[in-house]
Structure formats: structure tokens, C-alpha cells
Amino acid sequence: MKKYLVWYLFFATTALAQTPAPACGPESTKFSVKLDNTQHQIPQPENGKAILVFIDDPGRYFAIVSPTIKIGMDGGWVGANHNASFFTVSAEPGEHHLCASLPLFKSSLKQFVHLNAEAGKIYYFRTLAMYTQYSWWLFLEPVDSDEAQHLLAHSSLSRATEKK
């Protein structure tokens, strides 16, 4: 029974991933990611804004490849992470819709988080992509500042540029 439930969830997730998502950017967008392992500091929020920190957690799962995970906010891509990296985004106060996307062969897995940002605050989010016996899984979740500091200590700054 569990086996069928796992397959159902996999195919349902794959089908949902093919529909456009308002939090994400265009599916065709690709990023090139360069890592800077000399920077681990998070900037303070600009006056009247919040900071969102997206951290790629390689987890405890072995993967032959480290996938690039695209991050979207309010309908556009804001960056990408690859191989234990992080980046920050400045955001206006108010409601925001966040998206993490793991591009696969002809589709992608997506996860979504809703945020009501407050000026002057820092919000931390973890992405985790893992491959199990039969499929890829993607997670996007808020984490508290203590967990974020632990993850950031082992992360490099991501400098993602859109491929033309």
C-alpha cells in the first residue's frame, strides 16, 4: 500500500510541477552559479525592508550530482543555489510568494512558501534536494536563526547569473 502511495505522490507532484506557478519565474530560465567561500555574513536589512536568506542544505544524503535549485519570488526568479550555498534578497514589507524549483529532464519539482515580511526582519529558508531510490525530492522550508547560522557556517555565497 505504501509503495502505491509513494508512486501516486510522485506522479501527482510531477503533474503539478508542469503547471505554471505564480511564485516562480519562466521555466526556461537557467542559471550559472559561482561560489564564494570567503563570505558568510548576512547584510542588515535596508531601512524599511526585510532580508530573505535562501540556504541550500546538502543534507545527509549522498548524491552523485549537486543540483542547482532556482528560487523565485512573486513571479520572477531571484537567484539560485548549488552545492551548500546561500544568497540574500531584499524584500518590501508585506505578502510574498516564494518558490523553489529543481529542474529535471522535461519538468521540474517545485515547492512553495508564503511569507508576510516585516520591515527590519531577517527570514531564513532552507532548500534540500535529495535523490532516493526512485525519484528526486525537493523541500523549501523556513528555519530559525540558530539552524540558519549552523547551515551558513558550512555554506558559500552563491553568485548566480542568468544564462542567455
Side-chain angles (χ1 to χ4, degrees):
M1 180 71 169
K2 288 182 182 179
K3 181 179 176 181
Y4 295 112
L5 179 59
V6 169
W7 281 106
Y8 173 77
L9 289 173
F10 171 74
F11 287 113
T13 302
T14 303
L16 289 173
Q18 294 174 358
T19 59
C24 302
E27 194 69 34
S28 60
T29 303
K30 297 188 182 338
F31 285 95
S32 173
V33 177
K34 293 187 182 190
L35 304 180
D36 178 353
N37 62 4
T38 64
Q39 297 203 28
H40 300 276
Q41 296 295 92
I42 302 302
Q44 289 301 308
E46 297 173 34
N47 194 19
K49 293 192 176 186
I51 292 285
L52 283 55
V53 182
F54 297 96
I55 309 166
D56 177 45
D57 181 0
R60 297 175 298 277
Y61 303 95
F62 175 76
I64 294 173
V65 297
S66 178
T68 297
I69 300 171
K70 299 187 292 188
I71 304 295
M73 183 170 79
D74 301 332
W77 298 118
V78 293
N81 275 325
H82 175 81
N83 195 25
S85 63
F86 76 96
F87 69 93
T88 64
V89 173
S90 182
E92 295 288 334
E95 185 177 40
H96 295 284
H97 301 275
L98 309 175
C99 165
S101 177
L102 174 62
L104 298 173
F105 302 103
K106 291 187 176 185
S107 65
S108 62
L109 293 177
K110 290 186 174 57
Q111 286 289 302
F112 304 94
V113 172
H114 177 259
L115 170 70
N116 192 3
E118 295 179 33
K121 291 201 174 186
I122 300 175
Y123 299 89
Y124 300 93
F125 298 91
R126 168 194 3 225
T127 58
L128 173 63
M130 65 180 185
Y131 184 79
T132 60
Q133 188 175 4
Y134 299 108
S135 63
W136 280 95
W137 294 86
L138 176 64
F139 302 93
L140 170 64
E141 61 188 4
V143 294
D144 70 27
S145 59
D146 292 338
E147 178 73 10
Q149 294 310 313
H150 170 72
L151 293 169
L152 288 167
H154 305 286
S155 300
S156 299
L157 179 64
S158 170
R159 299 190 189 276
T161 55
E162 187 177 334
K163 290 182 182 178
K164 298 293 178 186

